[in-house]
Amino acid sequence: MSGWNLREGNLTQLGVSDDEYWSLFNYVFSDACKKTNTYKFGLIKSICDQIYDVHDSGTILFLSYEKIFSKFAENYWNLVNKYKLKQMSYNGKSEYSKIEVIIKSAVENYEIPENVGFQSLSSSNRNYITKNVTMECKKYVVGALYNDFEGKLYAFSLKGNGIFLSADSYRFISKYKMEIEKLNYYSWARFLEKVNDDDALIRLLEKLDMATPQRKDLSMYRDILFNEFQESNCFYCGKKLDKTMHVDHFIPWTFVKNDNLWNFVLACPKCNLKKSGNLVSHDYIVKIENRNSVVVDSRSFSPIVQVEFDGYYDGLLDRMWNYAKMSGIRERNCV
Ligand SMILES: [Zn+2]
Protein backbone atom coordinates (compact mmCIF):
# COMPACT_ATOMS: atom_id res chain seq x y z
CA MET A 1 0.00 0.00 0.00
CA SER A 2 1.33 3.43 -0.90
CA GLY A 3 -0.05 5.03 2.25
CA TRP A 4 -1.45 8.22 0.71
CA ASN A 5 -4.98 7.10 1.56
CA LEU A 6 -4.22 6.29 5.21
CA ARG A 7 -6.41 8.32 7.54
CA GLU A 8 -4.43 7.65 10.69
CA GLY A 9 -1.51 5.69 12.03
CA ASN A 10 0.13 4.95 15.38
CA LEU A 11 3.82 4.76 16.18
CA THR A 12 4.78 1.17 15.40
CA GLN A 13 8.02 0.94 17.36
CA LEU A 14 9.66 2.70 20.27
CA GLY A 15 13.40 2.62 20.88
CA VAL A 16 14.37 3.16 17.23
CA SER A 17 18.15 3.60 16.92
CA ASP A 18 19.97 6.32 14.95
CA ASP A 19 21.18 3.65 12.48
CA GLU A 20 17.59 2.58 11.81
CA TYR A 21 16.52 6.18 11.26
CA TRP A 22 19.40 6.76 8.84
CA SER A 23 18.36 3.66 6.94
CA LEU A 24 14.75 4.88 6.75
CA PHE A 25 15.71 8.39 5.66
CA ASN A 26 18.12 7.03 3.04
CA TYR A 27 15.34 4.82 1.70
CA VAL A 28 12.91 7.76 1.51
CA PHE A 29 15.52 9.81 -0.38
CA SER A 30 16.26 6.96 -2.80
CA ASP A 31 14.59 6.26 -6.14
CA ALA A 32 13.15 3.06 -4.64
CA CYS A 33 10.73 5.24 -2.67
CA LYS A 34 7.95 6.22 -5.04
CA LYS A 35 7.36 9.93 -5.66
CA THR A 36 5.09 11.39 -8.32
CA ASN A 37 5.63 14.91 -6.97
CA THR A 38 7.89 16.61 -4.45
CA TYR A 39 5.46 16.76 -1.50
CA LYS A 40 7.47 14.29 0.58
CA PHE A 41 10.57 16.47 0.34
CA GLY A 42 8.45 19.49 1.27
CA LEU A 43 7.04 17.76 4.33
CA ILE A 44 10.46 16.57 5.54
CA LYS A 45 11.82 20.09 5.16
CA SER A 46 8.90 21.58 7.02
CA ILE A 47 9.27 19.14 9.94
CA CYS A 48 13.04 19.77 10.12
CA ASP A 49 12.62 23.54 9.99
CA GLN A 50 10.19 23.43 12.88
CA ILE A 51 11.63 20.67 14.99
CA TYR A 52 12.44 23.15 17.77
CA ASP A 53 8.84 24.32 17.70
CA VAL A 54 7.55 20.92 18.71
CA HIS A 55 5.33 21.18 21.75
CA ASP A 56 6.75 18.95 24.48
CA SER A 57 4.28 18.21 27.26
CA GLY A 58 6.59 15.70 28.93
CA THR A 59 4.87 12.68 27.39
CA ILE A 60 3.69 13.97 24.02
CA LEU A 61 5.71 15.66 21.26
CA PHE A 62 3.26 17.48 19.07
CA LEU A 63 3.69 19.52 15.89
CA SER A 64 0.53 21.11 14.51
CA TYR A 65 -0.60 20.86 10.89
CA GLU A 66 -0.97 24.62 11.03
CA LYS A 67 2.74 25.10 11.71
CA ILE A 68 3.83 22.39 9.28
CA PHE A 69 1.76 23.57 6.36
CA SER A 70 2.21 27.31 6.77
CA LYS A 71 5.93 26.74 6.27
CA PHE A 72 5.19 24.22 3.52
CA ALA A 73 2.94 26.71 1.68
CA GLU A 74 5.57 29.44 1.91
CA ASN A 75 8.18 27.11 0.48
CA TYR A 76 6.04 26.07 -2.47
CA TRP A 77 4.89 29.61 -3.12
CA ASN A 78 8.50 30.68 -3.63
CA LEU A 79 9.52 27.57 -5.59
CA VAL A 80 6.52 27.69 -7.92
CA ASN A 81 5.79 31.36 -8.30
CA LYS A 82 9.15 32.99 -7.77
CA TYR A 83 11.50 30.36 -9.18
CA LYS A 84 9.13 28.71 -11.70
CA LEU A 85 10.15 25.19 -10.69
CA LYS A 86 7.71 22.46 -11.67
CA GLN A 87 7.09 19.95 -8.89
CA MET A 88 5.54 16.94 -10.60
CA SER A 89 6.27 14.53 -13.42
CA TYR A 90 3.61 14.41 -16.14
CA ASN A 91 1.01 11.84 -15.10
CA GLY A 92 -0.81 11.49 -18.40
CA LYS A 93 -3.32 14.21 -17.51
CA SER A 94 -1.42 17.14 -16.09
CA GLU A 95 2.08 18.39 -15.63
CA TYR A 96 1.20 20.35 -12.50
CA SER A 97 0.61 19.07 -8.98
CA LYS A 98 -2.44 20.28 -7.07
CA ILE A 99 -0.31 22.70 -5.03
CA GLU A 100 0.95 24.33 -8.19
CA VAL A 101 -2.62 24.64 -9.43
CA ILE A 102 -3.67 26.29 -6.12
CA ILE A 103 -0.79 28.76 -6.33
CA LYS A 104 -1.23 29.54 -10.01
CA SER A 105 -4.96 30.12 -9.60
CA ALA A 106 -4.36 32.42 -6.60
CA VAL A 107 -1.92 34.46 -8.69
CA GLU A 108 -4.50 34.76 -11.46
CA ASN A 109 -7.59 35.37 -9.31
CA TYR A 110 -5.98 37.95 -7.04
CA GLU A 111 -3.85 39.49 -9.80
CA ILE A 112 -0.67 39.07 -7.76
CA PRO A 113 2.40 40.48 -9.54
CA GLU A 114 5.20 38.11 -10.57
CA ASN A 115 8.08 37.35 -8.20
CA VAL A 116 6.37 38.53 -5.04
CA GLY A 117 7.72 36.71 -1.98
CA PHE A 118 5.25 34.91 0.27
CA GLN A 119 5.82 37.28 3.19
CA SER A 120 4.99 40.27 0.98
CA LEU A 121 1.49 38.94 0.20
CA SER A 122 -1.49 40.36 2.03
CA SER A 123 -2.45 38.30 5.06
CA SER A 124 -5.76 37.29 3.43
CA ASN A 125 -3.91 35.95 0.37
CA ARG A 126 -1.43 34.12 2.58
CA ASN A 127 -4.26 32.59 4.59
CA TYR A 128 -6.14 31.53 1.45
CA ILE A 129 -3.08 29.79 0.01
CA THR A 130 -2.09 28.18 3.30
CA LYS A 131 -5.63 26.91 3.92
CA ASN A 132 -5.91 25.30 0.48
CA VAL A 133 -2.40 23.87 0.53
CA THR A 134 -3.10 22.39 3.97
CA MET A 135 -6.31 20.71 2.82
CA GLU A 136 -4.58 19.21 -0.18
CA CYS A 137 -1.37 18.10 1.47
CA LYS A 138 -2.73 16.77 4.69
CA LYS A 139 -4.71 14.34 2.60
CA TYR A 140 -1.97 13.19 0.23
CA VAL A 141 1.37 13.39 1.94
CA VAL A 142 1.04 12.88 5.70
CA GLY A 143 -0.13 9.26 5.36
CA ALA A 144 2.26 8.53 2.50
CA LEU A 145 5.33 9.67 4.41
CA TYR A 146 4.11 7.92 7.56
CA ASN A 147 4.00 4.71 5.56
CA ASP A 148 7.44 5.20 3.99
CA PHE A 149 8.88 5.47 7.50
CA GLU A 150 6.98 2.32 8.53
CA GLY A 151 5.24 4.27 11.28
CA LYS A 152 8.51 4.95 13.10
CA LEU A 153 8.72 8.71 12.53
CA TYR A 154 5.36 10.00 13.73
CA ALA A 155 1.79 9.09 14.59
CA PHE A 156 -1.05 11.03 13.01
CA SER A 157 -4.76 11.30 12.41
CA LEU A 158 -6.19 13.40 9.61
CA LYS A 159 -9.08 14.25 11.93
CA GLY A 160 -6.62 15.61 14.50
CA ASN A 161 -4.61 18.80 14.54
CA GLY A 162 -1.11 17.56 13.84
CA ILE A 163 1.52 14.83 14.10
CA PHE A 164 3.02 13.19 17.18
CA LEU A 165 6.74 12.45 17.05
CA SER A 166 8.33 9.77 19.20
CA ALA A 167 11.03 10.73 21.69
CA ASP A 168 13.54 8.98 19.42
CA SER A 169 12.50 10.65 16.17
CA TYR A 170 12.41 14.04 17.89
CA ARG A 171 15.93 13.57 19.21
CA PHE A 172 17.19 12.22 15.88
CA ILE A 173 15.80 15.09 13.79
CA SER A 174 16.92 17.74 16.31
CA LYS A 175 20.42 16.32 16.22
CA TYR A 176 20.82 15.73 12.50
CA LYS A 177 18.53 18.38 11.01
CA MET A 178 21.25 19.98 8.87
CA GLU A 179 22.45 16.66 7.51
CA ILE A 180 18.88 15.56 6.74
CA GLU A 181 18.21 18.92 5.09
CA LYS A 182 21.19 18.49 2.76
CA LEU A 183 20.22 14.96 1.74
CA ASN A 184 16.67 16.17 1.23
CA TYR A 185 17.87 18.98 -1.06
CA TYR A 186 20.00 16.57 -3.06
CA SER A 187 17.09 14.21 -3.73
CA TRP A 188 14.68 17.07 -4.33
CA ALA A 189 17.12 18.60 -6.83
CA ARG A 190 17.49 15.26 -8.65
CA PHE A 191 13.71 15.06 -8.98
CA LEU A 192 13.45 18.66 -10.21
CA GLU A 193 16.17 18.08 -12.80
CA LYS A 194 14.01 15.41 -14.41
CA VAL A 195 10.92 17.59 -14.79
CA ASN A 196 12.22 21.11 -15.42
CA ASP A 197 13.85 22.95 -18.31
CA ASP A 198 17.48 23.94 -17.98
CA ASP A 199 16.59 27.64 -17.55
CA ALA A 200 14.68 27.01 -14.33
CA LEU A 201 17.47 24.83 -12.95
CA ILE A 202 20.12 27.53 -12.74
CA ARG A 203 21.30 27.88 -9.11
CA LEU A 204 18.89 25.13 -8.13
CA LEU A 205 20.26 24.37 -4.66
CA GLU A 206 20.30 28.05 -3.81
CA LYS A 207 16.65 28.29 -4.87
CA LEU A 208 15.69 25.35 -2.65
CA ASP A 209 17.50 27.00 0.23
CA MET A 210 16.09 30.46 -0.42
CA ALA A 211 12.52 29.17 -0.66
CA THR A 212 12.44 29.73 3.10
CA PRO A 213 13.96 33.20 3.20
CA GLN A 214 15.24 34.86 6.32
CA ARG A 215 12.72 37.43 7.53
CA LYS A 216 13.74 41.01 7.03
CA ASP A 217 11.09 42.52 9.23
CA LEU A 218 11.63 41.43 12.81
CA SER A 219 10.13 44.61 14.26
CA MET A 220 7.45 42.69 16.16
CA TYR A 221 10.20 40.83 18.06
CA ARG A 222 12.24 44.00 18.57
CA ASP A 223 9.24 45.69 20.20
CA ILE A 224 8.55 42.77 22.54
CA LEU A 225 12.20 42.45 23.56
CA PHE A 226 12.69 46.18 24.07
CA ASN A 227 9.36 47.18 25.58
CA GLU A 228 8.02 44.05 27.24
CA PHE A 229 11.25 42.31 28.25
CA GLN A 230 12.87 45.71 28.88
CA GLU A 231 16.12 44.76 27.21
CA SER A 232 17.82 48.11 26.75
CA ASN A 233 21.42 46.90 26.52
CA CYS A 234 23.23 44.81 23.92
CA PHE A 235 22.96 41.16 24.97
CA TYR A 236 26.62 40.58 24.18
CA CYS A 237 28.66 43.70 25.03
CA GLY A 238 26.19 45.39 27.37
CA LYS A 239 26.32 48.72 25.56
CA LYS A 240 23.18 50.87 25.79
CA LEU A 241 21.03 50.26 22.73
CA ASP A 242 19.78 52.99 20.44
CA LYS A 243 17.55 53.06 17.36
CA THR A 244 20.14 51.10 15.37
CA MET A 245 19.65 47.95 17.52
CA HIS A 246 19.45 44.60 15.73
CA VAL A 247 17.30 41.57 16.50
CA ASP A 248 19.70 38.63 16.64
CA HIS A 249 19.03 34.90 16.27
CA PHE A 250 21.04 33.64 19.26
CA ILE A 251 21.35 30.18 17.67
CA PRO A 252 21.95 31.29 14.07
CA TRP A 253 19.26 31.28 11.42
CA THR A 254 21.40 29.02 9.23
CA PHE A 255 20.75 26.29 11.79
CA VAL A 256 17.22 26.96 13.07
CA LYS A 257 15.56 28.28 9.87
CA ASN A 258 12.77 29.60 12.03
CA ASP A 259 11.86 32.64 14.09
CA ASN A 260 11.26 31.98 17.78
CA LEU A 261 11.02 34.71 20.38
CA TRP A 262 12.93 32.59 22.91
CA ASN A 263 15.88 32.49 20.48
CA PHE A 264 15.97 36.26 19.91
CA VAL A 265 18.09 38.83 21.72
CA LEU A 266 18.77 42.51 21.05
CA ALA A 267 22.29 43.41 20.02
CA CYS A 268 24.19 46.49 18.91
CA PRO A 269 24.98 46.45 15.15
CA LYS A 270 28.68 45.90 15.82
CA CYS A 271 28.17 42.69 17.84
CA ASN A 272 25.41 41.42 15.54
CA LEU A 273 27.46 41.89 12.37
CA LYS A 274 30.57 40.39 13.93
CA LYS A 275 28.61 37.35 15.19
CA SER A 276 26.88 36.94 11.81
CA GLY A 277 25.91 33.27 11.20
CA ASN A 278 28.15 31.94 13.98
CA LEU A 279 27.60 30.72 17.51
CA VAL A 280 28.80 32.71 20.49
CA SER A 281 30.62 31.15 23.43
CA HIS A 282 28.63 28.58 25.41
CA ASP A 283 28.93 30.89 28.44
CA TYR A 284 26.05 33.01 27.08
CA ILE A 285 23.66 30.06 27.32
CA VAL A 286 23.13 30.65 31.04
CA LYS A 287 22.29 34.29 30.38
CA ILE A 288 19.66 33.62 27.71
CA GLU A 289 18.18 30.66 29.58
CA ASN A 290 17.83 32.83 32.69
CA ARG A 291 16.07 35.48 30.63
CA ASN A 292 13.73 32.85 29.24
CA SER A 293 13.01 31.30 32.67
CA VAL A 294 11.76 34.66 33.89
CA VAL A 295 9.35 34.78 30.94
CA VAL A 296 8.16 31.21 31.48
CA ASP A 297 7.65 31.72 35.23
CA SER A 298 5.88 35.04 34.91
CA ARG A 299 2.25 35.28 33.98
CA SER A 300 2.37 38.96 33.28
CA PHE A 301 3.44 38.86 29.64
CA SER A 302 1.11 39.36 26.70
CA PRO A 303 -0.71 36.42 25.04
CA ILE A 304 1.56 36.59 22.00
CA VAL A 305 4.58 35.94 24.24
CA GLN A 306 2.86 32.88 25.72
CA VAL A 307 2.17 31.56 22.19
CA GLU A 308 5.75 32.22 21.08
CA PHE A 309 7.09 30.26 24.07
CA ASP A 310 4.87 27.26 23.34
CA GLY A 311 7.63 24.85 22.34
CA TYR A 312 10.28 26.21 24.70
CA TYR A 313 11.70 24.34 27.69
CA ASP A 314 14.71 24.84 29.93
CA GLY A 315 17.78 23.19 28.39
CA LEU A 316 16.55 23.49 24.78
CA LEU A 317 19.05 26.21 23.81
CA ASP A 318 21.88 24.22 25.36
CA ARG A 319 20.96 21.20 23.20
CA MET A 320 20.58 23.37 20.10
CA TRP A 321 23.96 24.99 20.72
CA ASN A 322 25.61 21.57 20.91
CA TYR A 323 23.82 20.23 17.83
CA ALA A 324 24.63 23.40 15.85
CA LYS A 325 28.27 23.06 16.84
CA MET A 326 28.22 19.39 15.80
CA SER A 327 26.76 20.46 12.44
CA GLY A 328 29.84 22.56 11.77
CA ILE A 329 28.76 26.02 12.88
CA ARG A 330 31.76 27.81 14.34
CA GLU A 331 32.08 29.84 17.52
CA ARG A 332 33.00 33.47 17.24
CA ASN A 333 33.72 35.96 19.98
CA CYS A 334 31.71 38.99 18.95
CA VAL A 335 32.71 41.35 21.74
ZN1 LIG B 1 27.22 44.84 21.43
Side-chain angles (χ1 to χ4, degrees):
M1 189 165 68
S2 62
W4 68 267
N5 52 357
L6 281 176
R7 314 288 304 163
E8 58 191 2
N10 291 321
L11 286 163
T12 54
Q13 187 188 324
L14 298 177
V16 180
S17 69
D18 284 6
D19 284 356
E20 280 179 89
Y21 277 125
W22 277 125
S23 169
L24 288 163
F25 270 101
N26 284 326
Y27 162 73
V28 170
F29 293 140
S30 75
D31 291 343
C33 175
K34 190 169 172 268
K35 298 169 198 87
T36 49
N37 54 46
T38 62
Y39 294 180
K40 287 176 185 174
F41 303 123
L43 180 56
I44 289 173
K45 177 169 169 55
S46 195
I47 294 172
C48 284
D49 283 351
Q50 300 194 90
I51 194 69
Y52 294 117
D53 246 358
V54 166
H55 180 82
D56 181 358
S57 71
T59 47
I60 285 172
L61 293 153
F62 176 74
L63 187 57
S64 69
Y65 290 134
E66 193 190 338
K67 280 183 179 169
I68 292 173
F69 289 113
S70 55
K71 200 84 162 183
F72 192 99
E74 175 174 14
N75 250 298
Y76 275 89
W77 171 267
N78 289 325
L79 291 173
V80 172
N81 192 49
K82 200 166 162 195
Y83 300 133
K84 316 285 182 226
L85 284 161
K86 290 193 331 198
Q87 303 290 323
M88 188 178 88
S89 36
Y90 181 65
N91 64 3
K93 287 185 208 145
S94 171
E95 56 181 323
Y96 295 114
S97 62
K98 189 77 190 297
I99 291 189
E100 292 167 273
V101 174
I102 291 167
I103 290 172
K104 283 170 188 294
S105 67
V107 169
E108 213 174 283
N109 294 342
Y110 298 111
E111 295 175 358
I112 299 168
E114 294 246 322
N115 301 325
V116 175
F118 193 71
Q119 289 302 321
S120 307
L121 295 175
S122 69
S123 61
S124 67
N125 284 349
R126 275 206 306 270
N127 290 342
Y128 169 84
I129 292 161
T130 305
K131 194 176 127 217
N132 283 284
V133 165
T134 305
M135 278 185 343
E136 162 70 10
C137 290
K138 228 168 88 172
K139 204 162 58 182
Y140 291 111
V141 70
V142 177
L145 195 68
Y146 166 88
N147 205 48
D148 290 339
F149 278 96
E150 300 169 357
K152 293 172 189 169
L153 198 70
Y154 55 76
F156 79 103
S157 165
L158 293 186
K159 282 195 220 124
N161 296 320
I163 63 170
F164 297 90
L165 297 163
S166 71
D168 298 313
S169 64
Y170 174 66
R171 182 189 44 77
F172 181 82
I173 299 171
S174 316
K175 190 170 175 183
Y176 297 114
K177 74 190 288 288
M178 272 182 99
E179 291 79 356
I180 298 167
E181 180 181 78
K182 283 176 199 150
L183 292 168
N184 196 36
Y185 283 167
Y186 174 80
S187 312
W188 200 337
R190 269 172 53 96
F191 186 100
L192 294 178
E193 284 185 350
K194 286 182 208 147
V195 298
N196 284 280
D197 297 333
D198 287 352
D199 283 359
L201 295 169
I202 297 166
R203 296 183 181 273
L204 180 56
L205 288 172
E206 194 177 302
K207 286 173 182 167
L208 284 172
D209 205 25
M210 288 302 291
T212 310
Q214 186 164 0
R215 303 269 179 280
K216 287 192 178 64
D217 183 12
L218 297 173
S219 52
M220 179 189 95
Y221 296 104
R222 185 197 57 212
D223 294 347
I224 294 173
L225 294 166
F226 193 77
N227 298 321
E228 230 178 308
F229 292 6
Q230 300 187 341
E231 294 182 9
S232 51
N233 298 84
C234 171
F235 182 81
Y236 302 107
C237 73
K239 209 179 88 184
K240 192 98 184 139
L241 293 166
D242 58 27
K243 278 192 300 216
T244 62
M245 71 182 105
H246 288 191
V247 179
D248 175 58
H249 289 85
F250 178 78
I251 304 289
W253 162 267
T254 40
F255 183 73
V256 288
K257 294 280 171 68
N258 208 5
D259 296 322
N260 303 102
L261 179 57
W262 45 261
N263 186 42
F264 281 128
V265 295
L266 293 178
C268 70
K270 195 169 157 230
C271 287
N272 183 250
L273 295 172
K274 200 164 165 200
K275 176 175 175 274
S276 185
N278 297 284
L279 288 165
V280 285
S281 147
H282 189 266
D283 298 343
Y284 286 101
I285 295 277
V286 177
K287 189 175 175 190
I288 189 170
E289 291 206 331
N290 283 345
R291 190 273 316 259
N292 287 345
S293 303
V294 172
V295 179
V296 171
D297 294 342
S298 165
R299 290 166 193 275
S300 61
F301 290 106
S302 57
I304 186 149
V305 173
Q306 319 284 345
V307 172
E308 282 282 329
F309 269 69
D310 183 39
Y312 180 77
Y313 56 87
D314 197 34
L316 176 62
L317 283 160
D318 180 49
R319 289 182 59 195
M320 289 169 76
W321 190 95
N322 285 303
Y323 291 153
K325 176 105 179 170
M326 197 185 79
S327 298
I329 296 176
R330 310 297 288 268
E331 268 180 72
R332 176 176 282 185
N333 186 1
C334 67
V335 179

